[in-house]
Amino acid sequence: MGAVLLSGRPPTPAAPPPPRLIANYRGRTPTDAPVLRDRADVAAYAAYRMPATFEAVRAALAAFAARVPDWSPATHVDIGGGTGAATWAAAATWEGPRSTVLDWAQPALDLGRELAATTLPDTAWQRAVIGEGLSVPAGTDLVTVSYVLGELRPEDRRAVVAAAATAAATVVLIEPGTPEGYLRIREARTQLTEAGLRIVAPCPHSDTCPIVPGEDWCHFAARVNRSSLHRQVKGGSLPYEDEKFSYVAATTLDATPAPARIIRKPQLRKGQVLLDLCTERDGLQRTTVTKRHGTHYRDARDAAWGDAWGDDRS
């Protein structure tokens, strides 16, 4: 895929995106215009960001899918989807969703269509203003909004979340795993619950987030295996990177969140595992699982940051 991604990026196709694009990704320059202006922008930014976006969205969708194992979306709308990373993630999570990618940058849509032509041929690529006035077809099963809210002005951000919440059975929002990204997810989470959706992941409840803003933030990590091309574009030497992201998955479906979620990397000690949890009833807490807990100890040693905890455990 990398050669196609970079085909329109002269004269140095392996160069990283311009700083203004990275600033938009980090949510520092909200705008009311397309961020990706031409084929060169799209090719460079897709090569730089698409693999990590795919893995972050796939991780968020997998966490939601685990709570509704007998459900799969027939229709999926990806708001601000650009070259389609979230559409690839939805196809990797469920079989056969019919996806529509909405974006206001035609060059991004064009490249996304090229990349998906043989693998996701039924995907629709539509130009749309991402903000106030956005229309999402009523009855959509799944809406994703990934790495978009930080690019928008506050009023457009609220309009996008409202459009998703009104139209879809399930809404999954993903932002960078920064304090600012978490705050945008937290704000959108409140908007989703006020619209009548239930939080299914990562939170174990739909009540107020127990994290105190400014003291901590909720985020997770997805492992991204780097190709040689990706390492060249990123200017790195390691064969992998960890993409930090914040997310929320909300739904009108009959779904039950996990009793708790591991919100930090488990700490392995001799004969014990320390787990930092966000819990359904007791908020944030640390629990210690020792060898005397038997199979629970083995589960804890195998557990990862972001995993559900507490299902079928005493």
Side-chain angles (χ1 to χ4, degrees), residues 93-162:
T93 306
W94 296 284
E95 183 176 351
R98 298 189 309 277
S99 293
T100 299
V101 180
L102 303 178
D103 203 276
W104 50 9
Q106 190 63 47
L109 294 169
D110 291 343
L111 181 54
R113 184 183 292 108
E114 291 176 28
L115 293 174
T118 57
T119 306
L120 304 173
D122 295 330
T123 301
W125 305 84
Q126 298 179 7
R127 191 170 185 180
V129 173
I130 308 303
E132 292 186 289
L134 176 69
S135 177
V136 178
T140 297
D141 292 324
L142 170 68
V143 167
T144 53
V145 188
S146 57
Y147 297 90
V148 173
L149 299 180
E151 298 178 355
L152 303 175
R153 299 176 302 179
E155 60 270 28
D156 289 325
R157 190 182 307 154
R158 290 189 291 270
V160 164
V161 175

Side-chain angles (χ1 to χ4, degrees), residues 52-291:
T53 300
F54 167 81
E55 293 295 354
V57 178
R58 184 166 67 166
L61 295 181
F64 173 75
R67 309 315 305 174
V68 285
D70 298 324
W71 177 86
S72 63
T75 54
H76 165 227
V77 173
D78 186 22
I79 298 175
T83 54
T87 296
W88 288 87
T93 306
W94 296 284
E95 183 176 351
R98 298 189 309 277
S99 293
T100 299
V101 180
L102 303 178
D103 203 276
W104 50 9
Q106 190 63 47
L109 294 169
D110 291 343
L111 181 54
R113 184 183 292 108
E114 291 176 28
L115 293 174
T118 57
T119 306
L120 304 173
D122 295 330
T123 301
W125 305 84
Q126 298 179 7
R127 191 170 185 180
V129 173
I130 308 303
E132 292 186 289
L134 176 69
S135 177
V136 178
T140 297
D141 292 324
L142 170 68
V143 167
T144 53
V145 188
S146 57
Y147 297 90
V148 173
L149 299 180
E151 298 178 355
L152 303 175
R153 299 176 302 179
E155 60 270 28
D156 289 325
R157 190 182 307 154
R158 290 189 291 270
V160 164
V161 175
T166 299
T170 297
V171 178
V172 182
L173 310 175
I174 303 97
E175 282 288 293
T178 62
E180 296 80 11
Y182 160 69
L183 289 177
R184 291 191 291 271
I185 290 293
R186 183 183 174 114
E187 177 185 52
R189 179 186 186 277
T190 298
Q191 197 175 344
L192 292 172
T193 58
E194 290 177 347
L197 282 73
R198 296 186 299 277
I199 307 301
V200 177
C203 319
H205 57 77
S206 297
D207 296 332
T208 302
C209 176
I211 292 175
V212 177
E215 295 183 3
D216 203 353
W217 70 98
C218 181
H219 67 293
F220 303 93
R223 177 60 54 92
V224 183
N225 293 319
R226 289 172 167 173
S227 65
S228 59
L229 176 65
H230 195 207
R231 290 198 300 272
Q232 184 181 6
V233 172
K234 297 282 286 192
S237 58
L238 292 176
Y240 66 89
E241 64 182 66
D242 289 324
E243 171 69 7
K244 306 294 177 60
F245 66 99
S246 295
Y247 79 99
V248 64
T251 190
T252 60
L253 300 172
D254 184 14
T256 302
R261 180 81 54 182
I262 301 171
I263 59 171
R264 292 287 182 275
K265 184 177 180 179
Q267 298 183 41
L268 302 181
R269 307 284 176 81
K270 185 175 181 180
Q272 60 183 15
V273 182
L274 278 58
L275 299 177
D276 290 302
L277 304 173
C278 181
T279 68
E280 179 181 9
R281 291 187 295 268
D282 302 316
L284 303 176
Q285 65 172 225
R286 172 171 287 186
T287 188
T288 300
V289 184
T290 66
K291 287 185 175 180

